[in-house]
């Protein structure tokens, strides 16, 4: 059946772990008639948690796309993970949705991951709603959650529905827009009834508040509301639509996913009030500038590959968000990034692991194409070769790394192939060979993240994998100026080798890395040999004199030299310069440099003292601290990379799994004394190991 852009809504369900996202997805599918009954997460049969690793661990690991019909419209829902280890999946879903539905556990209110997701939505200026879940649980508190949002984010959340009772006394919800109540019935379906008398005063109060919020969406409505003090239901609906599209208000809902309560009102609001995708803006690149493209089904085709996955039965899956025009099955498009044509075969709407075949995807819609030859995440498809590429999705940098290898050499290539595939699916993963440390390093957002990927590869490919803590990529530099000369002279019959170089070196500012100057006068070294001198300097900087680490922030100047009319060559001067540099470096106060990372930690106030003390023990420098309300503290610091190799595990242990952190490289700092001696000894032992192999 053909649909238009106006009929499409795409929503990402996001929230802290255990807030009930997968249960809500199940119940929405059941209420809309897509499935007969919702399955419990513990049973391992939910639609959106269907991979073996999700079933085994009873948690969401991947962003899973489902769709359902409601009031002749199609709603796409992304069910996303709640653990910070899988933030890449959430960010992907944010990019391809017009609005987020943020879940709060009614007992806990705003939690750490809620804060991080909210901030990301702010950066994107993306509209959002709030669903306060688990109103049937003990200690449920809807009013606290609403006030918590204001306290934490300095925004008002306007209840569209509010609960009738809580905990064991929870009976259902009142729909402020409809002026009706929805009670929980024995058959699991909500029953529409008149609002009980005991909730009428609260209903009238919330209706007035909601009307005021709607008036903010339109100037004429605002004037009328100020003059008359009320709006019609149609005017409230119109004002809410405009205000939500402009991200001016946050609608809030109450309910229970497990009791299927509050879902009818939520779905009605999505189809009746939420704006369609039409007119939303996507950013594209035009040269070095960013331009905006409106979602429009009448424009020529453009689409973005928002996610890539590999299914053992269907093969490579490319999730496509159509921005303009219509993407037809059995058509040809142009991959702007690869500069190649791409053949689109069949198109599907995903329902978890089930793929429902469709004939087309219209602007604003999202679906799946299978077995595309060249497509990768972030690629742009257009109708013609001159289309503009959309701005690529940026994901957080990996914060946890391990060195990996197959226990049998013959499986190394297979392991590498599988890890590269995993990185194509998840952009918060990285896999690369570090030539300095001679290790294959696999990085992700935590030990759970990397562990799940490695376990999957082990099981699917029958590969045993060895892991270890990665070696640190130290650097070497100098503290003072020095000068040395070296003569390379070799005679073995016929033409010999001769080159003499006088070289001066000096420290550069941290981060300048390298400079080279020629100060030779009088033709002592011909200009044709100077490139050989510079090559020798660069080669010498690849391995320092202390522990063999790369040399940085050193400037070199060739002062003088001597050549032979027959025996000199570029090679001879390269060797002379290389040795002159090493001799000079030994006399220039060589020191080791270690990488220093920016570290931002988010913890409950109760753990603040322990975290501050721990960072000090790791040689960390505290840069600042902020209270984010709701008992969440943000600690900004700089810490040596060596001290953070297991921090993802250590922080989880120190905070009972509630803490999280972000990390990025900042600069290199000198180290000396016992720490430097240990690094040098370990490096020399490693070099000897390499020689023996």
């Amino acid at each position: 059946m053909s649909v238009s852009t106006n009929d499409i809504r795409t929503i990402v369900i996001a929230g802290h772990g255990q807030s009930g996202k997968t249960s809500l997805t199940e119940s929405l599918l059941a209420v809309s008639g897509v499935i007969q009954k919702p399955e419990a997460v513990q049973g391992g049969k939910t639609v959106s948690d269907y991979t073996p690793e999700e079933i085994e661990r009873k948690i969401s690991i991947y962003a899973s796309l489902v769709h359902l019909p409601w009031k002749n419209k199609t709603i796409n829902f992304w069910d996303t993970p709640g653990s910070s280890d899988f933030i890449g999946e959430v960010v992907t879903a944010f990019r391809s949705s017009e609005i987020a539905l943020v879940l709060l556990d009614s007992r806990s209110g705003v939690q750490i991951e809620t804060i991080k997701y909210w901030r990301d939505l702010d950066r994107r200026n993306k509209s959002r709603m709030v669903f306060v879940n688990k109103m049937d649980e003990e200690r449920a508190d809807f009013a606290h959650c609403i006030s918590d949002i204001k306290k934490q984010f300095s925004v008002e959340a306007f209840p569209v529905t509010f609960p009738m009772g809580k905990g064991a006394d929870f009976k259902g919800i009142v729909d402020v827009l409809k002026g009706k109540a929805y009670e929980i019935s024995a058959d699991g379906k909500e029953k529409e009834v008149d609002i009980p008398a005991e909730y009428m005063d609260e209903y009238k109060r919330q209706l007035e508040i909601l009307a005021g919020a709607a008036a903010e969406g339109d100037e004429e409505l605002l004037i009328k509301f100020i003059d008359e003090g009320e709006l019609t239901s149609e005017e409230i609906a119109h004002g809410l639509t405009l205000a939500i599209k402009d991200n001016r208000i946050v609608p809030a809902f109450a309910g229970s996913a497990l009791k299927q309560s509050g879902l009818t009102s939520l779905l009605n609001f999505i189809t009746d009030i939420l704006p369609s995708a039409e007119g939303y803006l996507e950013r594209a690149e035009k040269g070095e500038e960013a331009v905006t493209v409106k979602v429009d089904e009448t424009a020529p085709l453009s689409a973005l590959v928002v996610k890539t996955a590999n299914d053992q039965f269907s093969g490579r899956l490319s999730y496509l968000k159509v921005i303009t025009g219509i993407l037809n099955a059995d058509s040809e498009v142009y991959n702007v990034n690869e500069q190649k044509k791409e053949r689109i075969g069949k198109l599907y709407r995903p329902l978890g692991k089930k793929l429902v075949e469709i004939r087309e995807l219209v602007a604003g819609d999202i679906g799946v194409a299978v077995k595309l030859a060249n497509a990768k995440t972030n690629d742009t498809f257009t109708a013609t070769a001159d289309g503009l590429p959309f701005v690529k999705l940026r994901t957080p940098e990996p914060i946890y790394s391990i060195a990996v290898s197959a226990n049998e050499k013959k499986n190394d290539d297979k392991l590498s192939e599988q890890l590269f595939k995993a990185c194509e699916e998840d952009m918060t993963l990285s896999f690369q060979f570090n030539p300095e440390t001679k290790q294959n390093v696999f990085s992700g957002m935590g030990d759970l993240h990397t562990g799940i990927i490695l376990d999957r590869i082990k099981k699917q490919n029958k590969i045993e994998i060895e892991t270890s803590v990665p070696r640190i990529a130290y650097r070497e530099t100098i503290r003072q100026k020095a000068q040395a000369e070296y003569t390379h002279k070799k005679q073995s019959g016929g033409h010999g080798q001769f080159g003499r170089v006088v070289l001066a070196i000096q420290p550069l500012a941290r981060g300048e890395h390298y400079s080279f100057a020629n100060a030779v006068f009088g033709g002592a070294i011909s200009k044709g040999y100077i490139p050989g001198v510079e090559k020798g300097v660069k080669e010498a900087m690849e391995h320092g004199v202390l522990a063999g680490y790369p040399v940085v922030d050193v400037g070199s100047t060739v002062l003088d030299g001597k050549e032979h009319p027959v025996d000199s060559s570029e090679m001879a001067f390269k060797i002379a310069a290389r040795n002159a540099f090493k001799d000079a470096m030994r006399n220039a106060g060589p020191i080791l440099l270690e990488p220093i990372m920016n570290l931002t930690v988010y913890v409950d106030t109760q753990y603040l003292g322990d975290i501050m003390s721990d960072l000090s023990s790791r040689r960390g420098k505290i840069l600042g601290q902020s209270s984010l309300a709701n008992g969440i503290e943000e600690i900004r610091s700089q810490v040596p990379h060596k001290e953070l190799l297991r921090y993802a595990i250590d922080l989880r242990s120190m905070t009972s799994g509630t803490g999280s952190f972000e990390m990025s490289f900042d600069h290199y700092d000198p180290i000396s004394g016992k720490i430097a001696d240990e690094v040098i000894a370990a490096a020399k032992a490693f070099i000897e190991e390499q020689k023996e192999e």
Side-chain angles (χ1 to χ4, degrees):
M1 182 179 70
S2 179
V3 297
S4 70
T5 300
N6 280 325
D7 298 328
I8 299 293
R9 308 287 186 274
T10 301
I11 298 165
V12 51
I13 303 175
H16 194 87
Q18 307 302 313
S19 57
K21 299 176 293 298
T22 299
S23 296
L24 177 62
T25 303
E26 279 290 296
S27 290
L28 288 168
L29 292 170
V31 167
S32 61
V34 174
I35 59 177
Q36 285 190 337
K37 64 171 186 172
E39 296 286 349
V41 171
Q42 297 302 314
K45 295 181 180 179
T46 62
V47 172
S48 56
D49 284 357
Y50 58 86
T51 66
E53 48 266 38
E54 288 174 315
I55 293 170
E56 178 184 343
R57 288 175 171 81
K58 311 279 190 295
I59 59 170
S60 296
I61 295 172
Y62 309 101
S64 181
L65 187 64
V66 303
H67 66 277
L68 59 86
W70 193 260
K71 289 189 171 182
N72 297 317
K73 290 183 171 59
T74 297
I75 308 174
N76 298 313
F77 283 107
W78 282 105
D79 174 24
T80 63
S83 167
S84 59
D85 278 42
F86 311 112
I87 181 65
E89 296 288 323
V90 183
V91 171
T92 294
F94 280 169
R95 172 65 180 272
S96 56
S97 305
E98 282 71 52
I99 192 164
L101 178 61
V102 179
L103 251 65
L104 298 185
D105 185 325
S106 63
R107 302 164 298 179
S108 308
V110 175
Q111 295 172 277
I112 289 176
E113 295 307 315
T114 319
I115 293 172
K116 291 166 69 175
Y117 295 149
W118 200 281
R119 285 179 169 180
D120 195 276
L121 292 167
D122 281 343
R123 285 193 290 268
R124 300 168 188 276
N125 192 28
K126 192 171 288 290
S127 304
R128 69 215 71 171
M129 306 183 292
V130 170
F131 188 88
V132 180
N133 192 25
K134 303 186 179 182
M135 284 305 307
D136 56 322
E137 297 278 353
E138 244 183 86
R139 297 182 294 106
D141 194 334
F142 182 75
H144 167 72
C145 290
I146 298 301
S147 64
D148 207 13
I149 291 168
K150 182 176 182 179
K151 181 180 178 182
Q152 179 62 59
F153 306 121
S154 300
V155 298
E156 294 277 359
F158 297 95
V160 177
T161 67
F162 64 86
M164 296 187 294
K166 60 183 179 180
D169 297 325
F170 178 61
K171 298 186 287 292
I173 58 96
V174 172
D175 188 321
V176 179
L177 271 182
K178 298 290 184 184
K180 291 289 183 181
Y182 289 87
E183 291 183 344
I184 299 171
S185 59
D187 62 0
K189 295 181 179 179
E190 292 183 290
K191 184 172 69 172
E192 183 182 305
V193 297
D194 291 333
I195 299 173
E198 61 189 294
Y199 295 106
M200 281 303 297
D201 288 345
E202 180 65 9
Y203 158 69
K204 290 174 182 177
R205 187 176 77 87
Q206 293 295 349
L207 180 60
E208 184 176 355
I209 293 172
L210 197 60
E216 296 291 334
D218 183 86
E219 189 173 340
E220 291 183 7
L221 291 180
L222 183 59
I223 293 171
K224 180 183 178 183
F225 185 72
I226 293 172
D227 291 343
E228 302 178 16
E230 62 181 13
L231 300 175
T232 66
S233 57
E234 291 78 11
E235 288 170 334
I236 293 175
H238 177 65
L240 288 175
T241 301
L242 296 177
I244 291 169
K245 186 161 188 176
D246 292 340
N247 193 22
R248 294 185 186 179
I249 66 168
V250 177
F253 302 82
S256 166
L258 291 181
K259 298 283 187 180
Q260 299 184 45
S261 176
L263 307 193
T264 301
S265 295
L266 175 64
L267 290 170
N268 285 339
F269 188 88
I270 289 171
T271 53
D272 297 347
I273 306 298
L274 284 192
S276 72
E278 187 172 17
Y280 274 92
L281 301 177
E282 183 61 66
R283 292 185 304 142
E285 296 173 345
K286 190 174 185 179
E288 295 185 0
E289 296 182 0
V291 297
T292 55
V293 179
K294 285 186 177 181
V295 175
D296 180 5
E297 65 181 288
T298 65
L301 171 71
S302 65
L304 178 67
V305 182
V306 296
K307 176 180 165 72
T308 304
N310 288 291
D311 182 85
Q312 65 181 117
F313 301 109
S314 303
R316 188 186 184 90
L317 307 179
S318 298
Y319 288 75
L320 305 171
K321 178 66 180 275
V322 180
I323 310 300
T324 58
I326 299 174
L327 178 64
N328 293 296
D330 300 319
S331 63
E332 193 172 70
V333 297
Y334 193 81
N335 187 327
V336 176
N337 302 80
E338 296 293 325
Q339 294 288 294
K340 292 179 180 178
K341 290 182 179 179
E342 193 86 59
R343 181 70 186 174
I344 304 291
K346 293 181 178 180
L347 291 173
Y348 302 91
R349 284 192 190 283
L351 189 60
K353 67 179 177 181
K354 182 181 177 182
L355 297 177
V356 181
E357 188 173 353
I358 54 175
R359 290 300 307 162
E360 64 181 28
L361 284 170
V362 70
D365 206 354
I366 185 167
V368 166
V370 299
K371 299 177 182 176
L372 300 185
N374 305 302
K376 305 185 304 298
T377 301
N378 277 328
D379 281 354
T380 296
F381 292 165
T382 57
T384 58
D386 58 356
L388 299 178
F390 291 110
V391 173
K392 292 185 176 182
L393 172 69
R394 292 182 180 177
T395 52
E397 293 295 318
I399 58 175
Y400 175 79
S401 298
I402 49 176
V404 297
S405 61
N407 67 337
E408 295 183 20
K409 281 283 185 185
K410 65 179 182 179
N411 288 326
D412 276 342
D413 288 344
K414 186 185 288 186
L415 174 60
S416 296
E417 179 186 348
Q418 293 302 316
L419 287 172
F420 279 125
K421 276 187 178 180
C423 294
E424 286 181 358
E425 293 183 33
D426 185 344
M427 293 171 60
T428 59
L429 293 171
S430 74
F431 175 64
Q432 57 190 354
F433 176 72
N434 188 327
E436 295 176 40
T437 63
K438 304 293 190 294
Q439 289 179 311
N440 286 313
V441 179
F442 182 46
S443 305
M445 301 309 295
D447 59 323
L448 177 63
H449 190 200
T450 54
I452 283 173
I453 301 298
L454 294 177
D455 284 347
R456 185 181 71 191
I457 292 172
K458 285 179 188 178
K459 291 174 182 177
Q460 290 183 355
N461 298 274
K462 312 298 184 195
I463 299 174
E464 287 301 318
I465 302 172
E466 296 177 352
T467 63
S468 60
V469 177
R471 289 183 281 272
I472 296 292
Y474 293 95
R475 296 287 184 267
E476 298 184 25
T477 192
I478 58 174
R479 289 176 291 187
Q480 61 200 45
K481 294 181 180 180
Q483 183 176 316
E485 64 176 80
Y486 190 90
T487 301
H488 176 65
K489 184 176 181 180
K490 188 175 182 182
Q491 191 71 43
S492 57
H495 286 305
Q497 295 181 32
F498 182 87
R500 176 174 173 268
V501 171
V502 180
L503 191 73
I505 62 174
Q506 70 278 349
L508 298 177
R510 197 70 65 237
E512 288 190 20
H513 188 66
Y514 165 81
S515 70
F516 178 81
N518 176 17
V520 175
F521 293 98
I525 301 177
S526 300
K527 286 186 177 180
Y529 294 140
I530 296 300
V533 175
E534 186 172 9
K535 287 178 183 177
V537 169
K538 287 183 175 180
E539 283 188 7
M541 291 180 70
E542 291 176 3
H543 303 284
V545 298
L546 288 176
Y549 288 107
V551 180
V552 296
D553 304 333
V554 174
S556 302
T557 304
V558 55
L559 302 174
D560 198 5
K562 187 176 181 180
E563 62 184 66
H564 188 277
V566 176
D567 293 342
S568 288
S569 64
E570 183 176 308
M571 175 64 74
F573 277 99
K574 183 176 79 169
I575 295 171
R578 185 171 63 207
N579 286 284
F581 183 94
K582 288 188 176 294
D583 288 346
M585 187 175 177
R586 291 186 182 95
N587 298 319
I591 56 171
L592 280 176
L593 298 174
E594 66 176 343
I596 304 296
M597 313 300 285
N598 287 321
L599 178 72
T600 303
V601 186
Y602 302 91
V603 295
D604 290 331
T605 301
Q606 62 179 311
Y607 301 115
L608 179 61
D610 292 340
I611 297 303
M612 299 282 262
S613 175
D614 177 72
L615 290 175
S616 295
S617 72
R618 295 173 188 267
R619 299 184 287 130
K621 177 183 177 183
I622 305 297
L623 301 180
Q625 173 201 337
S626 302
S627 295
L628 302 180
N630 200 44
I632 306 299
E633 302 289 338
E634 177 189 78
I635 307 157
R636 299 177 300 282
S637 63
Q638 289 187 336
V639 187
H641 191 197
K642 178 180 184 295
E643 308 291 342
L644 297 175
L645 292 175
R646 311 294 289 175
Y647 195 64
I649 298 171
D650 296 341
L651 181 66
R652 186 175 292 127
S653 174
M654 286 187 288
T655 62
S656 300
T658 62
S660 64
F661 72 99
E662 299 166 352
M663 181 174 69
S664 62
F665 171 77
D666 189 77
H667 67 282
Y668 276 91
D669 254 5
I671 51 172
S672 57
K674 183 181 178 182
I675 296 174
D677 292 341
E678 290 174 352
V679 171
I680 292 170
K684 288 180 177 178
F686 173 66
I687 291 170
E688 289 302 315
E689 285 179 21
Q690 296 296 304
K691 287 179 181 178
E692 291 175 6
E693 290 181 5

